Amino acid sequence: MKFKTKLITLVVAFLAAISFALPSQVNAANTDMVDTSNHNGLMTYDNYYDMLVHYGVKAVVQKVSEGTTYVDPTAKYNLASAKQAGLYLNGYHYARYTTVEGARAEARFAVAAAQSAGLPIGAVLATDVEASEQANNNYAANTANNKAFMEVVQAAGYRSTIYTMGSWVGTKMLVDKGWIADYPYNTSRDRYTSHHAWQFRSDQQFAGSYGNFDVSQLYDDFFTANQTPSPSAPVTPAPSQPAKSNAASDTDYAQTGVFKPSTTVNIRTGAGTGYASVGSYAPGESVIYDHVYIRGTYVWARYLSYSGRYHYVALGVNGGESYGSRSSNAQTYSRTYYTVRSGDSFWSIASKYGISMYTLAANNGKSIYSLIYPGENLDIR
């Protein structure tokens, strides 16, 4: 009886030790690198700096393109914000190719998109190989296509590697040294130390940032080579043509309305021409606003995007030219429609109208992963 009691005590103690050890093992991976794309919206200096300071993130890999027609609309802004926060910069292209020539065409498109977004030469521009196109291809074809893509990218001055899921390594393609996604942590741990990086979760959340993030542990300096981060404190931009403030020209008031521009107007992060431009509205589109600001030369409308951030568009010149028509009653427009343009995504369209991209997709019988095409009309609300 005494032996049995001692045995039970030992077993309980052993199980307790395991239970205390498990959390530290499960959370032991380093959050070295974070993926960002249009699904996370526009990332600010504060977003990235918080990741750096509180989570140990030191590198970012931003989506720049997909196929031969899609450029991620957040790439340039997000890379600039990450650079300002002091992170290493990298990019990736979502592959749709099925042939060697298709891979080369996508590589040329990806290089142009990366250069336009400000990805520094010498950084990594990876190929993300996980789509149905590659699932339907055989091992030899995928291997040849990936090699062709990376050769073009490397010839342009970027370094390249393959991102794919663990189950595809050695079965759907040759991956000598790649960036491998495999979860959950406790079943995949220590499998990929011979590769550049291991993406160990896709549901990481960061305070102040939108949505879930993919995060990775780095095993070498592949994603941090050839760069010397130089963080700089964020500077709130001042209007490029500041006007003198007075009671008549510097005021604001609450007003809900619909603005329909007659010319292309920039979307800005503040009510002033000196603030960053993060997009634009074209004639035929509309935006529902909730506040009006008169700031010197211009009259501005404010609206809340689905990401929870306020954006601003100029309604016209104070006491002068109007940039479109507006109604102070937002309810007069029962439906709003948008014609898709090249480069649009569910995120970029939804952010203009202050709705969730999930709602936008559902309104049109789609999911956020559905393809949309230039000329297609979407029901906004």
Side-chain angles (χ1 to χ4, degrees):
M1 185 66 179
K2 288 182 178 179
F3 175 78
K4 186 176 181 181
T5 302
K6 288 182 179 179
L7 180 60
I8 292 173
T9 301
L10 288 172
V11 170
V12 171
F14 177 72
L15 291 174
I18 292 177
S19 67
F20 280 113
L22 282 176
S24 61
Q25 291 174 353
V26 171
N27 296 313
N30 296 327
T31 309
D32 294 322
M33 185 167 72
V34 62
D35 305 15
T36 53
S37 72
N38 59 87
H39 293 297
N40 305 112
L42 295 174
M43 301 289 293
T44 66
Y45 166 94
D46 291 334
N47 295 144
Y48 286 124
Y49 186 72
D50 181 74
M51 293 177 181
L52 172 70
V53 172
H54 295 108
Y55 297 89
V57 174
K58 56 187 176 184
V60 62
V61 57
Q62 164 70 38
K63 181 176 181 178
V64 297
S65 54
E66 179 176 336
T68 56
T69 59
Y70 179 81
V71 174
D72 192 303
T74 67
K76 186 172 185 177
Y77 186 91
N78 288 355
L79 286 172
S81 296
K83 179 180 180 180
Q84 191 178 48
L87 298 183
Y88 292 93
L89 308 182
N90 303 279
Y92 75 90
H93 168 84
Y94 193 91
R96 294 291 185 180
Y97 48 73
T98 57
T99 65
V100 166
E101 283 308 310
R104 289 173 179 155
E106 288 195 27
R108 291 190 291 269
F109 182 77
V111 166
Q115 292 172 340
S116 178
L119 184 69
I121 294 296
V124 172
L125 178 54
T127 178
D128 180 345
V129 186
E130 58 177 312
S132 59
E133 287 87 344
Q134 290 83 47
N136 294 325
N137 250 1
N138 60 40
Y139 178 97
N142 284 332
T143 298
N145 295 343
N146 294 340
K147 182 175 182 290
F149 179 94
M150 291 190 291
E151 285 175 346
V152 173
V153 169
Q154 290 161 355
Y158 291 111
R159 292 174 299 118
S160 194
T161 190
I162 299 168
Y163 168 91
T164 194
M165 60 197 81
S167 61
W168 282 23
V169 176
T171 59
K172 294 299 295 183
M173 68 195 75
L174 172 67
V175 185
D176 181 34
K177 201 172 179 67
W179 169 27
I180 313 302
D182 202 352
Y183 351 109
Y185 175 87
N186 58 342
T187 60
S188 307
R189 184 165 50 94
D190 300 330
R191 290 186 180 183
Y192 304 105
T193 55
S194 63
H195 291 272
H196 295 307
W198 164 44
Q199 186 184 98
F200 60 91
R201 66 183 298 178
S202 61
D203 58 354
Q204 177 69 49
Q205 295 189 337
F206 298 100
S209 297
Y210 174 79
N212 293 330
F213 293 82
D214 299 334
V215 290
S216 302
Q217 175 167 313
L218 304 181
Y219 292 118
D220 55 28
D221 66 351
F222 188 71
F223 285 92
T224 59
N226 299 333
Q227 296 181 50
T228 303
S230 53
S232 57
V235 177
T236 301
S240 57
Q241 295 179 327
K244 295 181 180 180
S245 295
N246 56 58
S249 65
D250 197 353
T251 186
D252 64 273
Y253 53 91
Q255 182 186 84
T256 299
V258 176
F259 175 59
K260 302 184 72 174
S262 57
T263 186
T264 299
V265 293
N266 289 325
I267 301 169
R268 297 190 181 274
T269 57
T273 56
Y275 288 92
S277 174
V278 295
S280 63
Y281 280 102
E285 299 178 345
S286 63
V287 57
I288 297 176
Y289 59 89
D290 64 8
H291 209 95
V292 173
Y293 294 83
I294 300 175
R295 292 291 182 266
T297 305
Y298 299 99
V299 180
W300 301 86
R302 182 189 74 178
Y303 71 94
L304 186 66
S305 72
Y306 85 97
S307 64
R309 298 186 179 97
Y310 280 115
H311 290 150
Y312 303 78
V313 294
L315 299 175
V317 177
N318 185 19
E321 177 188 5
S322 173
Y323 295 154
S325 62
R326 56 173 165 150
S327 166
S328 61
N329 182 5
Q331 303 304 317
T332 60
Y333 296 85
S334 57
R335 306 303 302 172
T336 300
Y337 296 91
Y338 174 81
T339 302
V340 177
R341 294 180 291 173
S342 178
D344 279 338
S345 67
F346 280 120
W347 175 84
S348 64
I349 299 169
S351 65
K352 286 185 177 184
Y353 291 97
I355 63 172
S356 163
M357 61 182 174
Y358 297 95
T359 300
L360 174 60
N363 285 351
N364 293 275
K366 300 175 182 287
S367 78
I368 61 168
Y369 303 107
S370 301
L371 294 177
I372 53 177
Y373 303 94
E376 181 178 358
N377 288 320
L378 296 181
D379 186 350
I380 303 299
R381 55 167 69 84

